[in-house]
Amino acid sequence: MEKAPEVVDSLTLRFVGEEEDGTELHELRAAHVAEVLQGVVELASDFSKAGAFGDGPSAEVLVRPAQEGSFLMEVVRLTEDYPVLSAAALSLPPSLSTILFWATKSIRAAPSDFEYLENGNVKVTWQDNTVSEVPRDAWSELNKRKRRRKKQLRQIMAPLSDKRVSSIEVGAQDPPAPDEKVPQVEADFVLGKPDYDAARPEDEVEETSSVFETEAQMSAIDFDNADKWRVRTKEANRSATVKDDDFLGRISNSLAIRKSDIFRLKIREDVTVKNGRSRTEWTVVEVLSHRRAAHDDDS
């Protein structure tokens, strides 16, 4: 007879808040719910692979329906073959709720000190002067992939970006009976707006630089400020800084130029991408040649 999957862990998230009419919060944005589940699945997967839940196989994460009267989400970890702990085992593996607590703790009160204990755990002293005893595998994972971890926590706390949601009560116990109109969840800890803000991702900045040659016209010329020129090519019309000292010297010595003049330019293009938004800057490194447009009268 096939053995039924066993629930090895249960995480409850109760989203607390009020609707605009003052009634208790009873719905969330679908996009936020999707982010919460994605964040929980990725968090559980990372710590499972690191061995933080013990030596058993990775467990499948499932979600149970929200209960009426509030927005309560229950996430369970199931496994087909969960190992039986021997009598020699010093402690049960941490719950997903505990992992979430340590992860959020690490971003709002980073560790100030830690000590490896003889029982295989790590004694962690946080900057708020509280202490946790963390299994070594979980401690190792807490110190990896910090950008990814912030992303996961930001997803789990996504509903806090909604002004209707004031906090998230996190628990590890079984949810109340289905026939209870308003579930009463005894939270292990509560996450609020400051926790959501602390999970804000660090600026992702990517900088690239390239040099190219092109024909162009100077669509705007500032003889007093080399940073305020404007260069127009067939592809773009962009502000530019002129760094060719020889050319600037000829300008100061009364070199006459017109907007219609055609220049052969060596340009350095610097592109900065920050959080998906890009900024491009041009610097005229060298003016290779300069001629009048064909229709200009040089007389």
Side-chain angles (χ1 to χ4, degrees):
M1 183 175 179
E2 187 176 339
K3 184 179 178 182
E6 180 182 358
V7 176
V8 296
D9 193 4
S10 175
L11 168 70
T12 57
L13 302 170
R14 181 170 184 257
F15 301 90
V16 182
E18 291 184 351
E19 301 291 348
E20 292 183 0
D21 60 3
T23 59
E24 186 177 16
L25 179 75
H26 63 276
E27 62 185 12
L28 289 178
R29 301 184 191 282
H32 288 168
V33 174
E35 285 196 74
V36 171
L37 297 178
Q38 185 65 36
V40 170
V41 169
E42 290 186 3
L43 183 75
S45 176
D46 284 353
F47 280 87
S48 180
K49 291 175 182 176
F53 296 118
D55 297 328
S58 297
E60 184 176 13
V61 178
L62 303 178
V63 62
R64 289 177 175 172
Q67 308 229 354
E68 272 188 76
S70 69
F71 202 101
L72 178 70
M73 185 184 297
E74 183 189 13
V75 179
V76 296
R77 291 173 57 242
L78 297 180
T79 184
E80 297 286 347
D81 186 23
Y82 193 68
V84 177
L85 292 174
S86 66
L90 295 175
S91 61
L92 292 171
S95 67
L96 189 52
S97 171
T98 302
I99 293 293
L100 179 56
F101 173 78
W102 289 333
T104 52
K105 183 83 165 179
S106 68
I107 63 170
R108 70 174 186 270
S112 60
D113 194 15
F114 66 93
E115 175 187 357
Y116 289 101
L117 303 177
E118 292 184 0
N119 64 4
N121 291 342
V122 181
K123 178 182 176 182
V124 182
T125 302
W126 306 97
Q127 289 180 352
D128 60 2
N129 295 321
T130 59
V131 176
S132 299
E133 190 169 322
V134 180
R136 192 165 299 189
D137 289 333
W139 170 246
S140 177
E141 182 60 29
L142 279 172
N143 287 281
K144 297 176 182 177
R145 292 179 277 276
K146 293 188 178 181
R147 187 185 296 276
R148 173 179 170 86
R149 190 77 62 243
K150 277 193 172 185
K151 174 177 174 286
Q152 293 166 351
L153 296 177
R154 188 82 168 175
Q155 288 177 311
I156 293 171
M157 293 185 282
L160 287 171
S161 66
D162 187 332
K163 64 181 180 181
R164 299 173 303 148
V165 183
S166 58
S167 62
I168 304 174
E169 296 178 352
V170 183
Q173 68 288 329
D174 290 335
D179 57 353
E180 289 188 17
K181 185 175 182 180
V182 180
Q184 299 297 317
V185 180
E186 184 178 347
D188 293 337
F189 61 98
V190 178
L191 299 174
K193 302 284 188 183
D195 299 289
Y196 179 71
D197 292 339
R200 188 184 304 278
E202 299 173 5
D203 289 337
E204 296 183 9
V205 179
E206 180 183 354
E207 297 179 337
T208 58
S209 182
S210 61
V211 176
F212 63 94
E213 293 183 12
T214 185
E215 283 196 342
Q217 292 175 311
M218 302 297 190
S219 59
I221 301 168
D222 191 324
F223 296 105
D224 297 320
N225 191 336
D227 296 330
K228 293 185 177 181
W229 289 54
R230 195 164 187 87
V231 173
R232 182 174 63 241
T233 69
K234 291 181 179 180
E235 292 77 24
N237 187 354
R238 195 179 301 281
S239 297
T241 297
V242 178
K243 291 291 188 181
D244 186 333
D245 292 335
D246 180 63
F247 174 71
L248 292 174
R250 292 163 59 199
I251 292 291
S252 64
N253 288 324
S254 303
L255 172 66
I257 61 175
R258 307 172 187 176
K259 286 186 178 181
S260 59
D261 290 355
I262 298 174
F263 297 84
R264 185 72 184 175
L265 305 177
K266 179 182 288 187
I267 295 176
R268 186 183 73 240
E269 181 177 77
D270 298 308
V271 180
T272 302
V273 181
K274 183 176 181 180
N275 298 330
R277 303 185 66 176
S278 64
R279 184 180 76 247
T280 301
E281 296 180 345
W282 278 2
T283 300
V284 177
V285 179
E286 185 179 357
V287 177
L288 300 171
S289 64
H290 164 221
R291 71 178 190 274
R292 302 294 187 200
H295 61 272
D296 280 357
D297 183 1
D298 292 332
S299 58

